[in-house]
Amino acid sequence: MGNVLIIAQIQDGEVKKATNSTVTFASEVVSHIGGAYSILALGDDLSGQSEALAALGAQKVFLAQADGLDNAIAERWTPIIEKVVVDGAFQVVVSPASSTGKDVLPRLAARMGAGMASEVVEVVFSDGKLNYTRPMYAGNVNGTVIIDTPVEILTIRPTEFEAFSSTGASPVEKIDVPQAPEILGKIEFLGFEKAESTRPDLAEAGVVVSGGRGLKSEENFKLIEDLADLLGGAVGATRAAVDAGYIHNDFQVGQTGKIVAPDLYFAVGLSGALQHVAGMKSSKVIVAINKDEEAPIFQVSDYGVVADLFKALPELVEEIKKVAK
Amino acid sequence: MKILVTMKRVADPDNANKVKISGDGTQVTSEGLEWKPNPFDEYGVEAALRILEDGVGSGKLRGEVVVVTIGPEEVTQQIRQCLAMGADRGILVSGDDDKLDAMIVARTMAKLVEKEQPDLVIMGKQAVDGDSNQASQMLAEILGWPQATFAGHVEVPEDLSSATVTREVDGGAAKVKVAFPAVLSVDLRIVTPTGVNNNVAAGKDYQEGPRYASLRGIMKAKKKPIDKLTLDDLGVDRTLQVRTVSFTQPAARSAGVILETVQELVQKLQDEAKVL
Ligand SMILES: Cc1cc2nc3c(=O)[nH]c(=O)nc-3n(C[C@H](O)[C@H](O)[C@H](O)COP(=O)(O)OP(=O)(O)OC[C@H]3O[C@@H](n4cnc5c(N)ncnc54)[C@H](O)[C@@H]3O)c2cc1C
Ligand SMILES: Nc1ncnc2c1ncn2[C@@H]1O[C@H](COP(=O)(O)O)[C@@H](O)[C@H]1O
């Protein structure tokens, strides 16, 4: 029998949908190894999130609250998570593959001498062991991984698991937060600069409109935003568009950026480099607009239009407005 | 000041869709593909050089840059590439990719840190073959050093005692200051023209991307020392904690239809895909 501990993802005071996807993953693990799943959230003051966390069907919700925890400093979070894992005899620790999950969990793994698998997309049970599938080589190979340590540490790719919908109310326990370790004297949090956006979160949006180098300027990128806004969608970009300064790097989709899987993905003025495709190929419907009919993006698109985007995008906006009426 | 930069060789990342899986599904082969330094590690070398240079592109360093790798003998070639960029020397620890996991890598690096006593270790945020993104965080914990991962911008004071790091994180950028010794992992934006500010070479910008080796750099690199060690020399515990037992090909997407007009597209999205 085992128990699973989920590290909740909270951003801007909100329990992110990625947490619900992690719950789905955890329930699958529990169905294989028995036990139950619990949730741990860390932050300065979690009173506003407590109810949402308690609705996730967990055996228990642990809240670790102390000044500075919102900053998610790995050196601060690690011993706190370790204590909960040890005290609760958890066998599997899992978080969404958010930037915080990626930053903190490997540090926790080293601290606990535990093996870790990143960005898990599937779990099966075979010969008494959990087998995790994870993409490698920019999603061109899937590896099946077995972890041989008593505690197994994971990040999962939220886009690959349905979001668990909330039920019930779990007991909530406020834990005693261990004192800040000495190493905190060596790292100082100076601030957070938010990438301002009025649009839905890229990782959660049902529609994503991404632009590439073909947009040619920051001003032109507005064409991408117009289409996104019309559809209530999020805006994405390629590395080339980010590096050229058209848009903030928080919106980069790809192997080394955000992984998205909306119902509808528009790839506009981008070639479809494999590093980009790695971040969007799980989208349900992919539309490509590119003036080059040879562009690799057409190989992964459901619908392609070979056209000049400066003509096609405004037309598309007009057409969609017509049918929306 | 001494900076250790870790470097893994990877099969040409721009052709990652050409790697093959062996018939029995136990191995990935990249035959026919060129080996390259993991791009993030090349960015790490560039960052180290920019931190230590006394002027933009001066080549004169206020310290030493040591490139370390775990891999087969042939990785000397990728080490030489980094030395040609301007790093001072290399260390090659012999090892096979399929007998390593992130923890063995981190433990090995910890032993090298003990031996070399660097002030700073710079690593890539992820090796783009395994896409794990683990080793730097693990090393920092083993050493008991602070970590600043996903660094898109680094500023160091003239006395090289610390780094103020802008980290690329979900929702924006987090700024932290770490006292040396520390572990950094670098992200894509570190190689933008203003990715590193060392407060000495300030005022002039670098070119976009990691520098190309000059002919002179390549010649000089041939004479730079590369130490060769084994995991046993370093006394590293080689027990794998994480085993990749098989590989499979993910389901490929197939190409759909090319439409003539935007009107047609809207009609398909509405009637066929039902997403509008
Ligand atoms: C280590 C590393 C990590 C990377 N990670 C990522 C990542 O996470 N995400 C990512 O996106 N990239 C990533 N890249 C970069 C990737 O390799 C490509 O360079 C990048 O995706 C290309 O961006 P692009 O398609 O916008 O530009 P290009 O490849 O230059 O394509 C531009 C496209 O626009 C089309 N176009 C031009 N003008 C018009 C017009 N008027 N109308 C219609 N079409 C037009 C062109 O035909 C062309 O196909 C990474 C690279 C490295 C080395
Ligand atoms: N075999 C290796 N030799 C040298 N450095 C490595 C090796 N494997 C991983 N690294 C370093 O660790 C970073 C993160 O790798 P990973 O955790 O495997 O994604 C890489 O960018 C490298 O800097």
Side-chain angles (χ1 to χ4, degrees), chain A residues 75-118:
Chain A
E75 292 81 346
R76 180 77 175 108
W77 275 35
T78 309
I80 301 174
I81 302 174
E82 182 190 33
K83 185 169 185 304
V84 176
V85 174
V86 171
D87 290 352
F90 287 98
Q91 181 185 337
V92 176
V93 184
V94 58
S95 114
S98 59
S99 55
T100 299
K102 292 176 186 178
D103 183 48
V104 175
L105 262 55
R107 188 151 188 140
L108 177 74
R111 189 178 179 92
M112 302 195 71
M116 171 164 178
S118 306

Side-chain angles (χ1 to χ4, degrees), chain A:
Chain A
M1 203 191 78
N3 285 310
V4 182
L5 183 68
I6 296 166
I7 313 300
Q9 186 184 346
I10 295 169
Q11 209 176 301
D12 293 333
E14 205 186 303
V15 179
K16 299 303 272 185
K17 195 172 142 204
T19 307
N20 301 51
S21 299
T22 311
V23 168
T24 302
F25 171 85
S27 328
E28 280 182 40
V29 171
V30 164
S31 76
H32 296 310
I33 65 169
Y37 66 86
S38 293
I39 298 174
L40 167 63
L42 302 92
D44 285 36
D45 172 7
L46 299 163
S47 46
Q49 293 79 45
S50 164
E51 199 180 323
L53 292 165
L56 292 173
Q59 183 176 53
K60 205 167 215 181
V61 171
F62 299 100
L63 301 183
Q65 301 175 106
D67 282 351
L69 289 186
D70 279 350
N71 303 336
I73 298 289
E75 292 81 346
R76 180 77 175 108
W77 275 35
T78 309
I80 301 174
I81 302 174
E82 182 190 33
K83 185 169 185 304
V84 176
V85 174
V86 171
D87 290 352
F90 287 98
Q91 181 185 337
V92 176
V93 184
V94 58
S95 114
S98 59
S99 55
T100 299
K102 292 176 186 178
D103 183 48
V104 175
L105 262 55
R107 188 151 188 140
L108 177 74
R111 189 178 179 92
M112 302 195 71
M116 171 164 178
S118 306
E119 306 237 7
V120 169
V121 297
E122 197 186 329
V123 58
V124 297
F125 195 63
S126 160
D127 288 337
K129 290 291 292 178
L130 291 160
N131 287 219
Y132 307 106
T133 305
R134 53 175 309 269
M136 306 169 72
Y137 294 89
N140 289 289
V141 171
N142 277 339
T144 300
V145 170
I146 292 176
I147 301 177
D148 288 323
T149 50
V151 175
E152 307 186 22
I153 296 187
L154 314 165
T155 58
I156 60 119
R157 193 172 275 192
T159 49
E160 299 297 322
F161 301 91
E162 289 290 318
F164 177 88
S165 42
S166 313
T167 54
S170 321
V172 176
E173 180 185 327
K174 290 182 184 152
I175 64 159
D176 288 332
V177 176
Q179 283 242 304
E182 226 171 273
I183 192 177
L184 262 286
K186 304 229 152 100
I187 180 156
E188 188 186 346
F189 184 82
L190 300 177
F192 185 76
E193 191 191 305
K194 202 165 172 279
E196 291 300 338
S197 170
T198 50
R199 301 187 179 87
D201 186 336
L202 190 49
E204 298 182 2
V207 177
V208 173
V209 185
S210 283
R213 203 195 316 257
L215 267 298
K216 297 203 169 64
S217 74
E218 190 182 348
E219 295 73 50
N220 292 341
F221 217 81
K222 191 170 174 307
L223 293 170
I224 296 289
E225 294 164 2
D226 289 345
L227 179 58
D229 290 342
L230 180 64
L231 298 169
V235 165
T238 62
R239 177 190 180 180
V242 170
D243 285 357
Y246 305 166
I247 183 167
H248 193 281
N249 60 253
D250 195 40
F251 301 100
Q252 179 185 311
V253 171
Q255 179 189 17
T256 59
K258 296 265 186 324
I259 307 289
V260 302
D263 296 330
L264 179 56
Y265 188 90
F266 286 91
V268 185
L270 62 87
S271 59
L274 62 88
Q275 292 94 341
H276 185 77
V277 171
M280 46 67 88
K281 68 175 179 177
S282 295
S283 305
K284 287 213 184 76
V285 176
I286 298 176
V287 175
I289 301 176
N290 196 303
K291 67 176 182 189
D292 173 12
E293 60 181 329
E294 304 285 332
I297 191 66
F298 289 122
Q299 296 306 315
V300 296
S301 303
D302 301 284
Y303 303 106
V305 180
V306 181
D308 184 338
L309 71 91
F310 295 107
K311 195 164 159 286
L313 271 186
E315 264 179 42
L316 184 57
V317 165
E318 285 316 308
E319 277 306 308
I320 294 175
K321 277 186 189 154
K322 267 192 228 160
V323 303
K325 268 187 207 143

Side-chain angles (χ1 to χ4, degrees), chain B residues 211-225:
Chain B
R211 66 197 61 194
Y212 291 107
S214 64
L215 197 57
R216 190 155 159 270
I218 295 170
M219 297 310 291
K220 273 170 81 178
K222 289 187 176 147
K223 296 198 201 80
K224 291 180 178 172

Side-chain angles (χ1 to χ4, degrees), chain A residues 75 103 137 148 283 303-304, chain B residues 129 147 149 243 253 259 272:
Chain A
E75 292 81 346
D103 183 48
Y137 294 89
D148 288 323
S283 305
Y303 303 106
Chain B
D129 49 3
Q147 71 189 45
T149 54
R243 287 177 290 137
R253 272 191 101 95
L259 306 168
E272 195 175 271

